[in-house]
Amino acid sequence: MVQLSPDELAAEFQEAVVELYFARKRIANLEAENTALRARLTTVPPQEMPAELAPAAAEHGPAADPAEAGGEQWFSGGQAPGEPGQ
């Protein structure tokens, strides 16, 4: 086991806090993006939906709970400029 000096330990802790801050910020952005994409998915008629998305939409249906997949949301970021709902 490596022994750290008090200064090294404080520096390691500070680095971990900064990494955690940015990770949480990214998670929040991904959750917002996921919510926006799910909302957009429910507004696209099935005939206009890309083939690779159609089975997923049919599986969850338009009233699917955003937190249903694995109990957590992992995507976010919000709507892009020019998307419906802005």
Side-chain angles (χ1 to χ4, degrees), residues 10-26:
E12 288 288 327
F13 179 75
Q14 185 176 13
E15 184 178 318
V17 169
V18 170
E19 287 180 23
L20 180 59
Y21 169 80
F22 286 110
R24 286 182 174 173
K25 197 170 184 178
R26 178 69 177 144

Side-chain angles (χ1 to χ4, degrees), residues 19-33 73-77:
E19 287 180 23
L20 180 59
Y21 169 80
F22 286 110
R24 286 182 174 173
K25 197 170 184 178
R26 178 69 177 144
I27 288 169
N29 288 339
L30 291 172
E31 287 175 344
E33 181 181 349
Q73 297 174 338
W74 291 99
F75 300 98
S76 65

